Amino acid sequence: MGQASSHASQTTVEATVIDSELVDESLLKRLLVRAGRSLASPALEALELLLDPGTPSPVRLTMLAALSYLLMPADLIPDILPAAGFSDDLVALTAVIGVWRNHLTPTIQARAQRRLDQWFPLTR
């Protein structure tokens, strides 16, 4: 099989995975409210990267994996542990966002910030 054929096959698989997976926004919101604003910020950037139609498939797939890890009830450090429970999630999300930072446009960042402010209103 030629290299072009192999690449086309990978692209189809990635697109199929992205099209068939959904992030449950209400579940994500409930989890992030428990986790706090510091975890919510990179998680919402990941969500907005995933949802943006201009984001390349490999980036979207990575964001989907990162958000799936966040939503998994069992991970490296259980989320039920106070303070430390979400630390592995925060490190994973921050690392993934860092890898794909060049795809995080000002428009995507603004949408993530708006959602963050809606979900975590600042009180005066």
Side-chain angles (χ1 to χ4, degrees):
M1 176 169 15
Q3 192 174 29
S5 176
S6 174
H7 179 68
S9 163
Q10 286 177 332
T11 303
T12 303
V13 170
E14 289 171 359
T16 302
V17 170
I18 290 171
D19 290 342
S20 67
E21 296 291 336
L22 297 174
V23 173
D24 183 340
E25 191 175 312
S26 64
L27 176 63
L28 181 63
K29 183 177 180 179
R30 285 194 311 270
L31 177 76
L32 292 178
V33 166
R34 272 193 13 242
R37 194 174 173 100
S38 62
L39 178 64
S41 183
L44 293 175
E45 285 183 347
L47 178 64
E48 291 299 336
L49 270 167
L50 174 67
L51 296 175
D52 190 88
T55 302
S57 293
V59 179
R60 293 177 75 199
L61 197 57
T62 307
M63 294 305 121
L64 179 62
L67 289 169
S68 296
Y69 178 77
L70 175 65
L71 293 171
M72 286 175 44
D75 54 21
L76 192 58
I77 301 173
D79 295 338
I80 59 170
L81 296 175
F86 289 105
S87 62
D88 62 319
D89 300 300
L90 181 59
V91 168
L93 281 168
T94 304
V96 171
I97 295 286
V99 169
W100 298 113
R101 174 91 27 219
N102 57 326
H103 295 285
L104 195 59
T105 66
T107 302
I108 292 172
Q109 288 177 311
R111 284 197 313 258
Q113 185 63 48
R114 274 193 304 275
R115 193 182 298 252
L116 182 68
D117 292 340
Q118 287 172 347
W119 290 8
F120 294 87
L122 295 173
T123 57
R124 296 183 193 258

